[in-house]
Amino acid sequence: MAIEVFNRREIKYMLNDDDKNDLLKIIGNYMNSDPYNKDGKTYSICNLYLDTEADELIIKSLEKPEFKEKIRLRSYGTVPLDATVYLESKKKFDGVVNKRRTPFKLEDAYAYFETGVIPPNPKMNKQVMSEIDYIINFYRLKPKVFISYDRLAFFEKNNSDFRLTIDRNIQTRRTDLRLDSPAYGTQLLPEGAWLMEAKAFKAFPLWFVHFLSERKIFNTSFSKYGAEFKLYKEGKSK
């Protein structure tokens, strides 16, 4: 069952192929692979990010305020209209991320964005939906950007607090804003680059800290949506 509400710190790092391969050589000693990573292969995540007509949420986010928030619709791969997707709010305050999500049918999500009417759904988290609906109406949000990527994900053994995700093939577009359309668009990372996120509420484990130190890997403030917006303003995003 998908976790609908949680808090955590999220620290990002850029890896090259050698960094990633060396990490994968040792990670099995400490972490279990996500079930979606069948036979060690990546799985696909697709998102529709919502924003105002004037892109106010991402503009504010790039100013690095103490508090910022995003709303997105997420699917795991390209999915049909009757598939379950997740409407999520992601808020960050003082370095701590709060994520809340609720399931939708994709066709119902499209209808909701079009009409503003919340569809009946017995699996919906009504409290989370009420909060997200308020944000969408307050800012008058609508789908603005499609972002997809291929992911490796890991959970530390006997400690569900620590998680690692490693993403590549980050693609973005501002047309064809549908999760039932194939993943394609402008690439955000060069060939051989991976974006890793370390996610935990408590301290990161020592083995991971030692790996970063030995490889001289430092944290970065890279944001997928932020990077897309910068390319869009430069006329380099589709």
Side-chain angles (χ1 to χ4, degrees):
M1 183 177 182
I3 300 173
E4 293 183 346
V5 180
F6 58 82
N7 297 280
R8 65 191 181 195
R9 292 185 301 123
E10 297 182 351
I11 310 297
K12 300 176 183 179
Y13 308 86
M14 281 294 179
L15 307 182
N16 57 37
D17 279 333
D18 289 339
D19 295 328
K20 185 267 299 182
N21 291 336
D22 284 350
L23 177 60
L24 293 185
K25 289 176 183 177
I26 65 170
I27 204 169
N29 297 324
Y30 308 99
M31 307 190 80
N32 292 321
S33 179
D34 189 294
Y36 282 109
N37 292 131
K38 296 179 180 179
D39 300 320
K41 297 179 180 179
T42 60
Y43 64 94
S44 176
I45 295 177
C46 301
N47 305 275
L48 294 181
Y49 280 83
L50 279 64
D51 212 324
T52 69
E53 185 66 36
D55 300 305
E56 294 169 80
L57 292 190
I58 189 56
I59 290 173
K60 180 180 178 181
S61 178
L62 289 172
E63 294 171 351
K64 301 186 183 303
E66 189 173 18
F67 171 81
K68 56 185 178 181
E69 58 189 339
K70 296 176 182 176
I71 302 291
R72 67 190 178 198
L73 185 69
R74 167 168 290 188
S75 67
Y76 293 91
T78 301
V79 295
L81 289 173
D82 61 353
T84 297
V85 296
Y86 297 91
L87 187 59
E88 303 180 342
S89 73
K90 190 173 183 180
K91 303 178 183 180
K92 187 174 184 179
F93 177 74
D94 196 25
V96 177
V97 174
N98 173 271
K99 187 167 125 179
R100 302 168 75 80
R101 62 191 283 177
T102 186
F104 256 81
K105 277 191 176 181
L106 179 56
E107 59 187 346
D108 289 342
Y110 289 155
Y112 167 63
F113 294 152
E114 184 69 25
T115 66
V117 177
I118 300 174
N121 184 341
K123 296 182 179 180
M124 182 179 292
N125 185 317
K126 293 183 180 180
Q127 179 180 347
V128 172
M129 185 63 230
S130 178
E131 294 173 5
I132 293 177
D133 182 64
Y134 175 81
I135 297 170
I136 289 175
N137 283 288
F138 181 82
Y139 290 106
R140 298 183 181 180
L141 303 181
K142 63 178 183 178
K144 292 297 295 287
V145 176
F146 173 95
I147 300 179
S148 69
Y149 37 92
D150 299 329
R151 168 166 288 183
L152 293 169
F154 304 89
F155 298 85
E156 190 171 27
K157 296 177 180 178
N158 304 316
N159 180 12
S160 60
D161 177 63
F162 181 61
R163 185 181 185 221
L164 281 179
T165 60
I166 311 174
D167 300 335
R168 68 173 181 183
N169 191 31
I170 305 174
Q171 302 179 98
T172 73
R173 63 178 188 259
R174 287 184 170 248
T175 58
D176 191 16
L177 298 178
R178 299 182 66 88
L179 298 181
D180 52 322
S181 292
Y184 66 92
T186 301
Q187 288 282 348
L188 290 189
L189 296 181
E191 186 70 25
W194 299 74
L195 176 66
M196 177 174 71
E197 291 187 56
K199 310 176 184 188
F201 186 71
K202 301 177 183 178
F204 295 155
L206 284 177
W207 70 265
F208 179 67
V209 175
H210 289 159
F211 172 80
L212 297 177
S213 177
E214 290 171 1
R215 301 289 304 193
K216 293 182 170 56
I217 298 171
F218 303 100
N219 63 296
T220 179
S221 61
F222 184 89
S223 160
K224 297 182 182 80
Y225 189 9
E228 183 281 334
F229 185 71
K230 291 176 182 178
L231 287 179
Y232 169 67
K233 295 300 288 184
E234 295 170 0
K236 299 177 182 178
S237 179
K238 297 180 180 179

